[in-house]
Amino acid sequence: MTSAIEHFSNRLRFETDVSDVQQELATGKAGFVLVDTRNVASWDQGRIAGAIHLPTREIAGRAAELVPAGSAVVTYCWGPGCNGATKAALAFATLGYEVKEMIGGYEYWVREGFPVSDGKGEWSRPADELTTPIGARAGAACGC
C-alpha cells in the first residue's frame, strides 16, 4: 500500500490538469509560468493565452532569460500521445525549477472548451462531451 501512496502522491506533485491550469491563469497566481514546449509551427497553429513559447530543445539555453528563478513552471505539449512536456519538465527540473507537467496538453485544453490564441485572435470550440459533462459550460468541473 505504501508504494501506491507514494506513486499517486508523486503524480499529484508533478502533474496537473487543464482545469487546474485554467484556474491558475484566471486567478493570476503570482510566480506561475505556463510554458508551451512545441515548435514554432505548432505555436502558430494555436496556443494557450498567457503561455510563453519555449521549445524543449531551447530550455537549457533560454530558460533563465524567460522564466524568473523561483517560478512555478507548468509545461505542455500537444496531448497525451506526446511526451514533449515530460522532456521539457525534466529540462526545467534539471535547471532547479519547481515544475509540473499539464496532462492532456493542448489537445485537452481545446477539447474542454478553453480559449486559445493564434494569429487571427482568440477563439474556442464547444466543450467535447467526452471531457466535460453534457450540457455544461466550457471547463465545467467533472466532480472528481
Side-chain angles (χ1 to χ4, degrees):
M1 178 173 288
T2 301
S3 61
I5 293 168
E6 283 180 33
H7 171 76
F8 293 111
S9 294
N10 281 328
R11 285 193 64 187
L12 292 171
R13 278 181 51 210
F14 301 117
E15 295 177 352
T16 188
D17 65 22
V18 298
S19 294
D20 290 342
V21 169
Q22 189 276 335
Q23 285 291 67
E24 299 290 354
L25 289 172
T27 60
K29 180 181 176 186
F32 177 81
V33 179
L34 181 61
V35 180
D36 185 317
T37 68
R38 301 172 301 151
N39 64 24
V40 173
S42 300
W43 169 263
D44 289 345
Q45 185 175 330
R47 61 214 168 251
I48 299 171
I52 66 165
H53 186 226
L54 185 56
T56 300
R57 70 183 176 284
E58 298 176 18
I59 292 171
R62 297 186 58 217
E65 73 184 66
L66 297 174
V67 182
S71 295
V73 176
V74 172
T75 61
Y76 76 89
C77 200
W78 272 111
C82 174
N83 67 2
T86 306
K87 292 175 184 175
L90 176 59
F92 274 105
T94 300
L95 295 172
Y97 287 89
E98 175 188 335
V99 62
K100 289 186 176 187
E101 176 184 3
M102 184 177 80
I103 59 174
Y106 180 78
E107 175 189 351
Y108 274 75
W109 183 273
V110 172
R111 290 181 74 186
E112 289 198 22
F114 294 128
V116 297
S117 299
D118 62 18
K120 298 174 186 168
E122 189 170 287
W123 55 273
S124 63
R125 295 172 36 171
D128 183 328
E129 65 186 39
L130 295 175
T131 63
T132 304
I134 295 172
R137 64 178 172 27
C142 65
C144 52

